[in-house]
Amino acid sequence: MPAPKASLSTSLTSNNIPIGAELDWRRQAACAQLPPHSVFTKIRSEAEPVLRACNQCPVRRQCEAVVDPTHTWFDGVSGGRLWRNGRAVTS
């Protein structure tokens, strides 16, 4: 008899961390209720509300560590900075 399949709430990641637990930090993020297009924009003016939220975010460092923008070529806001192609935008 095959083993029962794990549900999403009990599935494990490659690090054997339950998927739900791995993503819990996102629920605590100051930007969690902001529109996704503001988080994943390349345009500073559209990112301003998210960048302001980052100033008081309790998971700011964890956000940048998990997203790892320099290695994922991330576009958007992570860790209080706007990123384009994995590089922090300065202006």
Side-chain angles (χ1 to χ4, degrees):
M1 176 185 281
K5 293 182 179 179
S7 70
L8 180 61
S9 62
T10 60
S11 296
L12 300 178
T13 66
S14 60
N15 296 329
N16 290 329
I17 299 170
I19 287 174
E22 183 180 75
L23 300 178
D24 277 347
W25 68 272
R26 293 188 340 183
R27 292 185 192 104
Q28 298 172 14
C31 66
Q33 301 304 315
L34 294 174
H37 73 271
S38 295
V39 176
F40 299 104
T41 185
K42 294 180 183 182
I43 303 167
R44 180 169 287 283
S45 62
E46 292 178 10
E48 286 300 328
V50 181
L51 292 168
R52 281 192 301 274
C54 287
N55 290 331
Q56 297 124 29
C57 187
V59 293
R60 182 177 175 169
R61 292 183 200 272
Q62 188 173 6
C63 174
E64 188 171 344
V66 170
V67 173
D68 195 12
T70 59
H71 291 99
T72 62
W73 292 53
F74 179 75
D75 289 332
V77 178
S78 176
R81 294 189 278 177
L82 178 61
W83 299 85
R84 274 191 217 129
N85 296 320
R87 294 179 183 236
V89 176
T90 56
S91 57

Coordinates of all heavy atoms in Angstrom, one line a residue:
M1 N 0.9 -1.2 0.0 CA 0.0 0.0 0.0 C 0.9 1.2 0.0 O 1.8 1.3 0.8 CB -0.9 0.0 1.2 CG -1.7 1.2 1.4 SD -2.7 1.3 2.9 CE -4.1 0.3 2.5
P2 N 0.7 2.2 -0.9 CA 1.5 3.4 -0.9 C 1.3 4.3 0.3 O 0.2 4.3 0.9 CB 1.0 4.2 -2.2 CG -0.2 3.5 -2.6 CD -0.3 2.2 -1.9
A3 N 2.4 5.0 0.7 CA 2.3 5.9 1.8 C 1.3 7.1 1.5 O 1.2 7.5 0.4 CB 3.7 6.5 2.1
P4 N 0.6 7.6 2.5 CA -0.3 8.7 2.3 C 0.5 9.9 1.9 O 1.6 10.2 2.3 CB -1.0 8.9 3.6 CG -0.2 8.2 4.6 CD 0.6 7.1 3.9
K5 N -0.2 10.7 1.0 CA 0.5 12.0 0.6 C 0.3 13.0 1.7 O -0.8 13.1 2.3 CB -0.1 12.4 -0.7 CG 0.2 11.5 -1.9 CD -0.4 12.0 -3.1 CE 0.0 11.1 -4.3 NZ -0.5 11.5 -5.5
A6 N 1.3 13.9 1.8 CA 1.2 14.9 2.8 C 0.4 16.1 2.3 O 0.4 16.3 1.1 CB 2.6 15.5 3.1
S7 N -0.4 16.7 3.1 CA -1.1 17.8 2.7 C -0.2 19.0 2.6 O 0.9 19.0 3.1 CB -2.3 18.1 3.7 OG -1.7 18.6 4.9
L8 N -0.7 20.1 2.0 CA 0.1 21.3 1.9 C 0.6 21.8 3.3 O 1.7 22.3 3.4 CB -0.7 22.4 1.2 CG 0.0 23.8 1.0 CD1 1.2 23.5 0.1 CD2 -0.9 24.8 0.4
S9 N -0.3 21.7 4.3 CA 0.1 22.3 5.6 C 1.2 21.4 6.3 O 1.8 21.9 7.2 CB -1.1 22.4 6.5 OG -1.7 21.1 6.7
T10 N 1.4 20.2 5.8 CA 2.4 19.4 6.4 C 3.5 19.0 5.5 O 4.4 18.3 5.8 CB 1.8 18.0 7.0 OG1 1.2 17.3 5.9 CG2 0.7 18.3 8.1
S11 N 3.4 19.5 4.3 CA 4.5 19.3 3.3 C 5.8 19.9 3.8 O 5.8 20.9 4.5 CB 4.2 19.8 1.9 OG 3.1 19.2 1.4
L12 N 6.9 19.3 3.4 CA 8.2 19.8 3.9 C 9.0 20.4 2.7 O 8.8 19.9 1.6 CB 9.0 18.6 4.5 CG 8.4 17.9 5.7 CD1 9.3 16.8 6.2 CD2 8.2 18.9 6.8
T13 N 9.8 21.4 3.0 CA 10.7 21.9 2.0 C 11.9 21.1 1.9 O 12.1 20.1 2.7 CB 11.1 23.4 2.4 OG1 11.8 23.3 3.6 CG2 9.8 24.2 2.6
S14 N 12.9 21.5 1.1 CA 14.1 20.7 1.0 C 14.9 20.8 2.3 O 15.8 19.9 2.6 CB 15.0 21.2 -0.1 OG 15.3 22.6 0.1
N15 N 14.6 21.7 3.2 CA 15.3 21.8 4.5 C 14.5 21.1 5.6 O 14.8 21.3 6.8 CB 15.5 23.3 4.9 CG 16.4 24.0 3.9 OD1 17.3 23.4 3.3 ND2 16.1 25.3 3.7
N16 N 13.5 20.4 5.2 CA 12.6 19.7 6.2 C 11.9 20.7 7.1 O 11.7 20.4 8.3 CB 13.4 18.6 7.0 CG 13.8 17.5 6.1 OD1 13.0 17.2 5.1 ND2 14.9 16.8 6.4
I17 N 11.6 21.9 6.7 CA 10.8 22.8 7.4 C 9.4 22.8 6.8 O 9.3 22.9 5.6 CB 11.4 24.3 7.3 CG1 12.9 24.3 7.8 CG2 10.6 25.3 8.0 CD1 13.6 25.5 7.5
P18 N 8.4 22.7 7.6 CA 7.0 22.7 7.1 C 6.8 24.0 6.3 O 7.2 25.1 6.7 CB 6.2 22.7 8.3 CG 7.0 22.2 9.4 CD 8.4 22.6 9.1
I19 N 6.2 23.8 5.1 CA 6.0 25.0 4.2 C 5.3 26.1 4.9 O 5.7 27.3 4.7 CB 5.2 24.5 2.9 CG1 6.2 23.7 2.0 CG2 4.7 25.7 2.1 CD1 5.5 23.1 0.8
G20 N 4.3 25.9 5.6 CA 3.5 26.9 6.3 C 4.4 27.7 7.2 O 4.4 28.9 7.3
A21 N 5.3 27.0 8.0 CA 6.2 27.7 8.9 C 7.2 28.5 8.2 O 7.6 29.6 8.7 CB 6.9 26.6 9.8
E22 N 7.7 28.0 7.0 CA 8.7 28.7 6.3 C 8.2 30.1 5.8 O 8.9 31.0 5.7 CB 9.2 27.9 5.1 CG 10.3 28.5 4.3 CD 10.7 27.7 3.1 OE1 10.0 27.6 2.2 OE2 11.8 27.1 3.2
L23 N 6.9 30.2 5.5 CA 6.3 31.4 5.0 C 5.7 32.3 6.1 O 5.1 33.3 5.7 CB 5.3 31.1 3.9 CG 5.9 30.3 2.7 CD1 4.9 30.0 1.7 CD2 7.1 31.1 2.0
D24 N 5.7 31.9 7.3 CA 5.0 32.6 8.4 C 5.6 34.1 8.5 O 4.8 35.0 8.8 CB 5.2 32.0 9.7 CG 4.1 30.9 10.0 OD1 3.2 30.8 9.2 OD2 4.3 30.1 10.9
W25 N 6.8 34.3 8.2 CA 7.4 35.6 8.3 C 6.7 36.6 7.4 O 6.6 37.8 7.7 CB 8.9 35.6 8.0 CG 9.2 35.3 6.6 CD1 9.4 34.1 6.0 CD2 9.4 36.2 5.5 NE1 9.6 34.2 4.7 CE2 9.6 35.5 4.3 CE3 9.3 37.6 5.4 CZ2 9.8 36.1 3.1 CZ3 9.5 38.2 4.2 CH2 9.8 37.5 3.1
R26 N 6.2 36.1 6.3 CA 5.5 37.0 5.3 C 4.2 37.6 5.9 O 3.9 38.7 5.6 CB 5.2 36.3 4.0 CG 6.5 36.0 3.3 CD 6.3 35.4 1.9 NE 5.0 34.9 1.6 CZ 4.7 34.3 0.4 NH1 5.6 34.2 -0.5 NH2 3.5 33.9 0.2
R27 N 3.6 36.9 6.8 CA 2.4 37.4 7.4 C 2.7 38.6 8.4 O 1.8 39.4 8.6 CB 1.6 36.3 8.2 CG 1.1 35.3 7.2 CD 0.2 34.2 8.0 NE 0.0 33.1 7.1 CZ 0.6 31.9 7.2 NH1 1.5 31.7 8.1 NH2 0.3 31.0 6.4
Q28 N 3.9 38.6 8.9 CA 4.3 39.7 9.8 C 4.9 40.9 9.1 O 5.1 41.9 9.7 CB 5.3 39.1 10.8 CG 4.9 38.0 11.6 CD 6.0 37.4 12.4 OE1 7.1 37.9 12.5 NE2 5.8 36.2 13.0
A29 N 5.1 40.8 7.8 CA 5.7 41.9 7.1 C 4.8 43.1 7.0 O 3.6 43.0 6.9 CB 6.0 41.4 5.7
A30 N 5.4 44.3 7.2 CA 4.6 45.5 7.1 C 3.9 45.7 5.8 O 3.0 46.5 5.7 CB 5.6 46.7 7.4
C31 N 4.4 45.1 4.7 CA 3.8 45.3 3.4 C 2.8 44.2 3.1 O 2.2 44.2 2.0 CB 4.9 45.2 2.3 SG 5.7 43.6 2.2
A32 N 2.5 43.3 4.0 CA 1.6 42.2 3.7 C 0.2 42.6 3.2 O -0.3 41.9 2.4 CB 1.4 41.4 5.0
Q33 N -0.3 43.8 3.6 CA -1.6 44.2 3.1 C -1.5 45.2 1.9 O -2.5 45.7 1.5 CB -2.4 44.8 4.3 CG -2.6 43.9 5.4 CD -3.2 42.6 5.1 OE1 -4.2 42.6 4.3 NE2 -2.7 41.5 5.5
L34 N -0.3 45.5 1.5 CA -0.2 46.4 0.4 C -0.3 45.7 -1.0 O -0.1 44.5 -1.0 CB 1.2 47.1 0.4 CG 1.4 48.0 1.6 CD1 2.8 48.5 1.7 CD2 0.4 49.2 1.6
P35 N -0.7 46.4 -2.0 CA -0.9 45.7 -3.3 C 0.4 45.1 -3.8 O 1.4 45.7 -3.8 CB -1.4 46.8 -4.2 CG -1.7 48.0 -3.4 CD -1.0 47.8 -2.1
P36 N 0.3 43.8 -4.3 CA 1.5 43.2 -4.9 C 2.2 44.0 -5.9 O 3.4 43.9 -6.0 CB 0.9 41.9 -5.4 CG -0.3 41.6 -4.7 CD -0.9 43.0 -4.4
H37 N 1.5 44.7 -6.8 CA 2.2 45.5 -7.8 C 3.1 46.5 -7.2 O 4.1 46.9 -7.8 CB 1.2 46.1 -8.8 CG 0.4 47.3 -8.2 ND1 -0.8 47.1 -7.6 CD2 0.7 48.6 -8.2 CE1 -1.2 48.3 -7.2 NE2 -0.4 49.2 -7.6
S38 N 2.8 47.0 -6.0 CA 3.7 48.0 -5.3 C 5.0 47.3 -4.8 O 6.0 47.9 -4.7 CB 3.0 48.6 -4.1 OG 1.9 49.4 -4.6
V39 N 4.8 46.0 -4.4 CA 6.0 45.3 -3.9 C 6.9 44.8 -5.1 O 8.1 44.9 -5.0 CB 5.5 44.0 -3.1 CG1 6.7 43.2 -2.7 CG2 4.7 44.5 -1.9
F40 N 6.3 44.4 -6.2 CA 7.1 43.9 -7.3 C 7.3 44.8 -8.5 O 7.5 44.4 -9.6 CB 6.4 42.6 -7.8 CG 6.4 41.5 -6.7 CD1 5.2 41.3 -6.1 CD2 7.5 40.8 -6.4 CE1 5.1 40.3 -5.1 CE2 7.5 39.9 -5.4 CZ 6.3 39.6 -4.7
T41 N 7.3 46.1 -8.2 CA 7.5 47.1 -9.2 C 9.0 47.4 -9.4 O 9.8 47.2 -8.5 CB 6.8 48.4 -8.9 OG1 6.9 49.3 -10.0 CG2 7.3 49.1 -7.6
K42 N 9.4 48.0 -10.5 CA 10.7 48.5 -10.8 C 10.8 50.0 -10.7 O 11.8 50.6 -10.8 CB 11.2 48.1 -12.2 CG 11.3 46.6 -12.4 CD 11.8 46.3 -13.8 CE 11.9 44.9 -14.1 NZ 12.4 44.6 -15.5
I43 N 9.6 50.6 -10.5 CA 9.5 52.1 -10.5 C 9.4 52.6 -9.1 O 8.5 52.3 -8.3 CB 8.2 52.5 -11.3 CG1 8.3 51.9 -12.7 CG2 8.1 54.0 -11.3 CD1 7.0 52.0 -13.5
R44 N 10.4 53.5 -8.7 CA 10.5 54.0 -7.4 C 9.2 54.6 -6.9 O 8.8 54.4 -5.7 CB 11.7 55.0 -7.2 CG 11.8 55.5 -5.8 CD 13.0 56.3 -5.5 NE 14.2 55.4 -5.4 CZ 14.6 54.7 -4.4 NH1 13.8 54.7 -3.4 NH2 15.7 54.0 -4.4
S45 N 8.6 55.5 -7.7 CA 7.4 56.2 -7.2 C 6.3 55.2 -6.9 O 5.5 55.4 -5.9 CB 6.9 57.2 -8.3 OG 6.5 56.5 -9.5
E46 N 6.2 54.1 -7.6 CA 5.2 53.0 -7.2 C 5.6 52.2 -6.0 O 4.7 51.7 -5.3 CB 5.0 52.1 -8.4 CG 4.4 52.7 -9.6 CD 4.2 51.7 -10.8 OE1 4.5 50.5 -10.6 OE2 3.9 52.2 -11.9
A47 N 6.9 52.2 -5.7 CA 7.4 51.4 -4.6 C 7.4 52.2 -3.3 O 7.6 51.6 -2.2 CB 8.8 50.9 -4.9
E48 N 7.2 53.5 -3.3 CA 7.3 54.4 -2.1 C 6.5 53.9 -0.9 O 7.0 53.9 0.2 CB 7.0 55.8 -2.5 CG 8.1 56.5 -3.2 CD 9.4 56.6 -2.5 OE1 9.4 56.7 -1.2 OE2 10.4 56.6 -3.2
P49 N 5.2 53.5 -1.1 CA 4.4 53.0 0.1 C 5.1 51.8 0.7 O 5.1 51.7 1.9 CB 3.0 52.7 -0.5 CG 2.9 53.4 -1.8 CD 4.3 53.5 -2.3
V50 N 5.6 50.9 -0.1 CA 6.3 49.7 0.5 C 7.6 50.1 1.1 O 7.9 49.6 2.2 CB 6.5 48.7 -0.7 CG1 7.2 47.4 -0.1 CG2 5.2 48.3 -1.3
L51 N 8.3 51.0 0.5 CA 9.6 51.4 1.1 C 9.4 52.1 2.5 O 10.1 51.9 3.4 CB 10.4 52.3 0.2 CG 10.9 51.6 -1.1 CD1 11.3 52.7 -2.1 CD2 12.0 50.7 -0.7
R52 N 8.3 52.9 2.6 CA 7.9 53.5 3.9 C 7.6 52.4 4.9 O 7.9 52.5 6.1 CB 6.8 54.5 3.7 CG 7.3 55.8 3.1 CD 6.2 56.9 3.3 NE 4.9 56.5 2.6 CZ 4.7 56.8 1.3 NH1 5.6 57.4 0.5 NH2 3.5 56.4 0.7
A53 N 6.8 51.4 4.5 CA 6.4 50.4 5.4 C 7.6 49.6 5.9 O 7.7 49.2 7.0 CB 5.4 49.4 4.7
C54 N 8.6 49.4 5.1 CA 9.9 48.7 5.5 C 10.5 49.4 6.7 O 11.2 48.7 7.4 CB 10.9 48.7 4.3 SG 10.4 47.6 3.0
N55 N 10.4 50.7 6.8 CA 11.0 51.4 7.9 C 10.6 50.9 9.3 O 11.3 51.0 10.2 CB 10.8 52.9 7.8 CG 11.5 53.5 6.7 OD1 12.6 53.1 6.2 ND2 11.0 54.6 6.1
Q56 N 9.4 50.3 9.4 CA 8.9 49.8 10.6 C 8.7 48.3 10.6 O 8.0 47.8 11.5 CB 7.5 50.5 11.0 CG 7.6 52.0 11.2 CD 6.7 52.7 10.2 OE1 5.6 52.2 9.9 NE2 7.0 53.9 9.9
C57 N 9.2 47.7 9.6 CA 8.9 46.2 9.4 C 9.7 45.4 10.4 O 10.9 45.5 10.5 CB 9.2 45.8 8.0 SG 8.7 44.1 7.7
P58 N 9.0 44.5 11.1 CA 9.7 43.6 12.1 C 10.5 42.4 11.4 O 11.3 41.8 12.0 CB 8.6 43.0 12.9 CG 7.4 43.0 12.0 CD 7.6 44.3 11.2
V59 N 10.3 42.2 10.1 CA 11.0 41.1 9.4 C 11.8 41.6 8.3 O 12.1 40.8 7.3 CB 10.0 40.0 9.0 CG1 9.3 39.3 10.2 CG2 8.9 40.6 8.1
R60 N 12.2 42.8 8.3 CA 13.0 43.4 7.2 C 14.2 42.7 6.8 O 14.5 42.4 5.7 CB 13.3 44.9 7.6 CG 14.1 45.6 6.5 CD 14.3 47.0 7.0 NE 15.1 47.8 6.0 CZ 15.3 49.0 6.1 NH1 14.7 49.8 7.0 NH2 16.1 49.6 5.2
R61 N 15.0 42.3 7.8 CA 16.3 41.5 7.5 C 16.0 40.1 7.0 O 16.6 39.7 6.1 CB 17.1 41.5 8.8 CG 17.7 42.8 9.2 CD 18.6 42.6 10.4 NE 18.8 43.8 11.1 CZ 19.8 44.7 10.8 NH1 20.6 44.5 9.8 NH2 19.9 45.8 11.5
Q62 N 15.0 39.5 7.5 CA 14.6 38.2 7.1 C 14.1 38.2 5.7 O 14.4 37.3 4.9 CB 13.6 37.6 8.0 CG 13.3 36.1 7.7 CD 12.4 35.5 8.8 OE1 11.8 36.2 9.7 NE2 12.1 34.2 8.6
C63 N 13.4 39.3 5.3 CA 12.8 39.4 4.0 C 14.0 39.4 3.0 O 13.9 38.7 2.0 CB 12.0 40.7 3.9 SG 11.5 41.2 2.3
E64 N 15.0 40.2 3.2 CA 16.1 40.3 2.3 C 16.9 39.0 2.2 O 17.3 38.5 1.2 CB 17.0 41.5 2.6 CG 18.1 41.7 1.5 CD 18.9 42.9 1.7 OE1 18.5 43.8 2.5 OE2 19.9 43.0 1.1
A65 N 17.0 38.3 3.4 CA 17.8 37.1 3.4 C 17.0 36.0 2.6 O 17.7 35.2 1.9 CB 18.0 36.6 4.9
V66 N 15.7 35.9 2.8 CA 14.9 34.9 2.1 C 14.8 35.2 0.6 O 15.0 34.3 -0.2 CB 13.5 34.7 2.7 CG1 12.7 33.8 1.9 CG2 13.7 34.2 4.1
V67 N 14.6 36.4 0.2 CA 14.4 36.8 -1.2 C 15.8 36.7 -1.9 O 15.9 36.3 -3.0 CB 13.8 38.2 -1.3 CG1 13.8 38.7 -2.8 CG2 12.4 38.2 -0.8
D68 N 16.9 37.1 -1.2 CA 18.2 37.0 -1.7 C 18.3 37.7 -3.1 O 18.7 37.0 -4.1 CB 18.7 35.6 -1.7 CG 20.2 35.4 -1.9 OD1 20.9 36.4 -1.8 OD2 20.6 34.3 -2.2
P69 N 18.0 39.0 -3.1 CA 17.9 39.6 -4.4 C 19.1 39.5 -5.3 O 19.0 39.4 -6.5 CB 17.6 41.1 -4.1 CG 17.2 41.1 -2.7 CD 17.8 39.9 -2.0
T70 N 20.3 39.6 -4.8 CA 21.5 39.6 -5.6 C 21.7 38.2 -6.4 O 22.3 38.2 -7.4 CB 22.8 39.9 -4.9 OG1 22.9 39.0 -3.8 CG2 22.7 41.3 -4.3
H71 N 21.2 37.2 -5.8 CA 21.3 35.8 -6.4 C 20.1 35.4 -7.2 O 20.2 34.5 -8.0 CB 21.6 34.8 -5.3 CG 23.0 35.0 -4.8 ND1 23.2 35.6 -3.5 CD2 24.2 34.7 -5.2 CE1 24.5 35.6 -3.3 NE2 25.2 35.1 -4.3
T72 N 19.0 36.0 -7.0 CA 17.7 35.7 -7.7 C 17.4 36.7 -8.8 O 16.4 36.5 -9.4 CB 16.6 35.5 -6.7 OG1 16.3 36.8 -6.1 CG2 16.8 34.5 -5.7
W73 N 18.1 37.7 -8.9 CA 17.9 38.8 -9.9 C 16.5 39.4 -9.7 O 15.7 39.6 -10.6 CB 18.0 38.3 -11.3 CG 19.4 37.9 -11.7 CD1 20.3 37.1 -11.0 CD2 20.2 38.4 -12.8 NE1 21.5 37.1 -11.6 CE2 21.4 37.9 -12.7 CE3 19.9 39.3 -13.8 CZ2 22.4 38.1 -13.6 CZ3 20.8 39.6 -14.7 CH2 22.1 39.0 -14.6
F74 N 16.2 39.6 -8.4 CA 14.8 40.0 -8.0 C 14.5 41.4 -8.5 O 15.4 42.3 -8.5 CB 14.8 40.0 -6.5 CG 13.5 40.5 -5.9 CD1 12.4 39.7 -5.9 CD2 13.4 41.7 -5.3 CE1 11.2 40.1 -5.4 CE2 12.2 42.1 -4.7 CZ 11.1 41.3 -4.8
D75 N 13.3 41.7 -8.9 CA 12.8 43.0 -9.2 C 11.7 43.3 -8.2 O 10.7 42.6 -8.1 CB 12.2 43.0 -10.6 CG 13.2 43.0 -11.7 OD1 14.4 43.4 -11.5 OD2 12.9 42.5 -12.8
G76 N 11.9 44.4 -7.5 CA 10.9 44.8 -6.5 C 11.5 45.3 -5.2 O 12.7 45.6 -5.2
V77 N 10.7 45.4 -4.1 CA 11.1 45.8 -2.8 C 11.4 44.6 -1.9 O 10.6 43.7 -1.8 CB 10.1 46.8 -2.2 CG1 10.6 47.2 -0.8 CG2 9.9 48.0 -3.1
S78 N 12.6 44.6 -1.3 CA 12.9 43.6 -0.3 C 13.9 44.2 0.6 O 14.9 44.9 0.2 CB 13.6 42.4 -1.0 OG 14.0 41.5 -0.1
G79 N 13.7 44.0 1.9 CA 14.6 44.5 2.9 C 14.8 46.0 3.0 O 15.8 46.5 3.4
G80 N 13.8 46.7 2.5 CA 13.8 48.2 2.6 C 14.5 48.9 1.4 O 14.8 50.0 1.5
R81 N 14.8 48.1 0.4 CA 15.4 48.7 -0.8 C 14.7 48.2 -2.0 O 14.1 47.1 -2.1 CB 16.9 48.2 -0.9 CG 17.7 48.8 0.2 CD 19.2 48.5 0.0 NE 19.5 47.1 0.4 CZ 20.6 46.5 0.3 NH1 21.6 47.2 -0.2 NH2 20.8 45.3 0.8
L82 N 14.7 49.0 -3.1 CA 14.2 48.7 -4.4 C 15.3 48.0 -5.2 O 16.4 48.5 -5.2 CB 13.7 49.9 -5.1 CG 13.1 49.7 -6.5 CD1 11.9 48.8 -6.5 CD2 12.8 51.1 -7.1
W83 N 14.9 46.9 -5.8 CA 15.9 46.1 -6.6 C 15.5 46.0 -8.0 O 14.3 45.8 -8.3 CB 16.0 44.7 -6.0 CG 16.4 44.6 -4.6 CD1 15.7 44.8 -3.5 CD2 17.8 44.4 -4.1 NE1 16.4 44.7 -2.3 CE2 17.7 44.5 -2.7 CE3 19.0 44.2 -4.8 CZ2 18.9 44.3 -1.9 CZ3 20.1 44.1 -4.0 CH2 20.1 44.1 -2.6
R84 N 16.4 46.0 -8.9 CA 16.2 45.7 -10.3 C 17.3 44.8 -10.8 O 18.5 45.1 -10.7 CB 16.3 47.0 -11.2 CG 15.0 47.8 -11.3 CD 15.1 48.9 -12.3 NE 14.4 50.0 -11.8 CZ 14.8 51.3 -11.8 NH1 16.0 51.6 -12.2 NH2 14.1 52.2 -11.3
N85 N 16.9 43.7 -11.3 CA 17.8 42.7 -11.8 C 18.9 42.3 -10.8 O 20.1 42.1 -11.1 CB 18.5 43.1 -13.1 CG 17.5 43.3 -14.2 OD1 16.6 42.5 -14.4 ND2 17.7 44.3 -15.0
G86 N 18.5 42.2 -9.5 CA 19.4 41.8 -8.4 C 20.3 42.9 -8.0 O 21.2 42.6 -7.2
R87 N 20.1 44.2 -8.4 CA 21.0 45.3 -7.9 C 20.1 46.3 -7.2 O 19.0 46.7 -7.7 CB 21.7 45.9 -9.1 CG 22.7 45.0 -9.7 CD 23.4 45.6 -10.9 NE 24.3 44.7 -11.5 CZ 25.5 44.9 -11.7 NH1 26.1 46.1 -11.3 NH2 26.3 44.0 -12.3
A88 N 20.6 46.8 -6.1 CA 19.8 47.8 -5.4 C 19.8 49.1 -6.2 O 20.8 49.5 -6.8 CB 20.5 48.1 -4.0
V89 N 18.6 49.7 -6.3 CA 18.5 51.0 -7.0 C 18.8 52.1 -6.1 O 18.3 52.2 -5.0 CB 17.0 51.1 -7.6 CG1 16.8 52.4 -8.2 CG2 16.7 50.0 -8.5
T90 N 19.7 53.0 -6.5 CA 20.1 54.1 -5.6 C 19.3 55.4 -5.9 O 19.3 56.3 -5.0 CB 21.6 54.4 -5.8 OG1 21.9 54.7 -7.1 CG2 22.4 53.2 -5.3
S91 N 18.8 55.6 -7.0 CA 18.0 56.8 -7.3 C 16.7 56.5 -8.0 O 16.4 55.5 -8.4 CB 18.8 57.8 -8.1 OG 19.2 57.2 -9.3

